Amino acid sequence: MRAFDSCRNAFNRAANRCFDVFPCLADPARRSSLGLRLALVLLHLLYAGVLFLFDTDLIDKTKQQPWFTALYGLLFFATLVQYFVTSSSSPGYVIDAMRDLNERNAIARQAAMISKQPASSKNGNLVITIDATQHGRLLHGSNIMPWTKLVLDLYPPGTSVRNCTCSYCNVEQPPRAKHCHDCDKCVLQFDHHCVWLGTCIGQGNHCRFWWYICGETALCLWTGILYITYLKSNISRFWWKDAITILLVITLSIFLLFLLLLLLFHSYLILTNQTTFELVRRRRIPYLRGIPERVYPFSKGVCSNLYGFCCAPRSLYSLERMPSRVEMEEKSRPYTCLDILTCRCC
């Protein structure tokens, strides 16, 4: 017992020294996130390192055609960069959008109050004074709007504040937002919480997440082709190399199948302007319960959905309102040949 206690105390002292040098490791959540990122990088290096270590023909091909390996290395590097960019990006939190609106309202009020007070300029320039009625219209107009009123306007008439208020954050959630228990924040257009990335996927980083999946799938497919090419030309030379290579090919095939399904699934969500949470928990979301499953309430057409997903500025928060009953009936109407010719689906 004494030996065990002394070893535990020595380990605790070493851990405390390590935490003093690297304060980011003191937080268990950040420590697990860094561990996952390190494991993913090592997994990539393992597959690429074993391939170049075993395959001498690939090394000879690299000397003859360096562009081939350069393209593979560029895809390898771009995929890892996209992973770190996506994992460190914000999914778009409700509290940040509310804080941004409050800051804009404060700036608008300050500008209105400054412009309301007449002052004589020393250089003789004319100063325009805003009267009380114009000042009131500015305060209650589109330039200044409280967050609660803005959120309620996005829901159907008659929605109470209690129904759209998060019980954890105590903030009003706009449509498509959800509280993430892992991040302990409400996320705009919440899709899911990705364990491998260590962050939520939402409005702010869904596009980056899709591009990461696309790059990871391409890298996995290319690596698998290189491994199969190596097995065809070098099988039964060294049994232990063949065993390691076959084991890596099997695991790589599982990863590739998962990535392909994930890429197709998220491509379908993008084309229909849905999220994973809305698709899986549709019957449990209050404002989606009465809508048929084949109707996508937030879809604006395939082309508009793609443009909004790929080309919308990520620095701005986009809050989507619930469609009216007339718009919902129009969306539920089946397509005809005339609708296809007139690009109604776009």
Side-chain angles (χ1 to χ4, degrees), residues 252-306:
L252 195 63
S253 302
I254 297 173
F255 291 150
L256 180 59
L257 179 62
F258 172 75
L259 288 170
L260 281 173
L261 293 176
L262 190 64
L263 182 63
L264 292 175
F265 176 69
H266 277 274
S267 299
Y268 165 73
L269 294 178
I270 294 166
L271 294 177
T272 56
N273 197 9
Q274 296 185 93
T275 63
T276 303
F277 174 70
E278 292 172 349
L279 184 66
V280 175
R281 300 294 182 91
R282 183 163 184 151
R283 295 182 180 180
R284 299 182 62 179
I285 301 176
Y287 53 85
L288 295 179
R289 285 176 185 169
I291 301 175
E293 293 185 359
R294 295 292 181 179
V295 178
Y296 313 116
F298 300 104
S299 178
K300 304 176 183 63
V302 175
C303 297
S304 299
N305 293 338
L306 282 174

Side-chain angles (χ1 to χ4, degrees), residues 73-259:
L74 181 63
L75 179 61
F76 184 90
F77 179 74
T79 302
L80 288 180
V81 169
Q82 187 65 27
Y83 168 78
F84 284 104
V85 169
T86 307
S87 61
S88 60
S89 60
S90 172
Y93 297 113
V94 175
I95 190 67
D96 294 336
M98 185 174 65
R99 189 181 296 113
D100 182 67
L101 179 69
N102 293 335
E103 290 177 357
R104 293 185 182 184
N105 290 343
I107 293 173
R109 288 193 185 95
Q110 186 177 6
M113 294 299 295
I114 292 175
S115 60
K116 182 182 177 181
Q117 297 175 358
S120 59
S121 178
K122 294 182 179 180
N123 57 6
N125 293 334
L126 180 64
V127 177
I128 300 176
T129 305
I130 301 177
D131 58 12
T133 57
Q134 290 176 336
H135 181 247
R137 284 201 300 269
L138 180 63
L139 285 176
H140 299 287
S142 59
N143 290 332
I144 296 180
M145 179 178 292
W147 174 257
T148 304
K149 184 179 185 304
L150 177 64
V151 170
L152 287 178
D153 289 343
L154 300 174
Y155 286 95
T159 304
S160 63
V161 180
R162 181 181 297 179
N163 294 335
C164 60
T165 302
C166 176
S167 57
Y168 299 96
C169 300
N170 199 24
V171 297
E172 293 79 12
Q173 293 179 339
R176 315 191 72 181
K178 181 189 176 296
H179 182 86
C180 176
H181 296 281
D182 296 291
C183 300
D184 199 22
K185 291 182 180 179
C186 291
V187 180
L188 295 171
Q189 291 186 20
F190 175 82
D191 189 88
H192 70 285
H193 184 88
C194 184
V195 178
W196 277 104
L197 292 171
T199 185
C200 280
I201 304 301
Q203 182 187 96
N205 59 358
H206 198 177
C207 183
R208 297 187 182 96
F209 176 73
W210 187 89
W211 281 111
Y212 165 67
I213 298 174
C214 187
E216 196 73 73
T217 305
L219 180 63
C220 193
L221 180 62
W222 197 345
T223 306
I225 292 174
L226 292 177
Y227 267 104
I228 293 174
T229 305
Y230 164 75
L231 278 176
K232 285 183 178 180
S233 58
N234 297 278
I235 197 166
S236 71
R237 289 187 179 180
F238 300 96
W239 67 269
W240 59 274
K241 284 187 177 181
D242 295 341
I244 294 174
T245 306
I246 291 173
L247 180 63
L248 292 177
V249 168
I250 292 174
T251 55
L252 195 63
S253 302
I254 297 173
F255 291 150
L256 180 59
L257 179 62
F258 172 75
L259 288 170

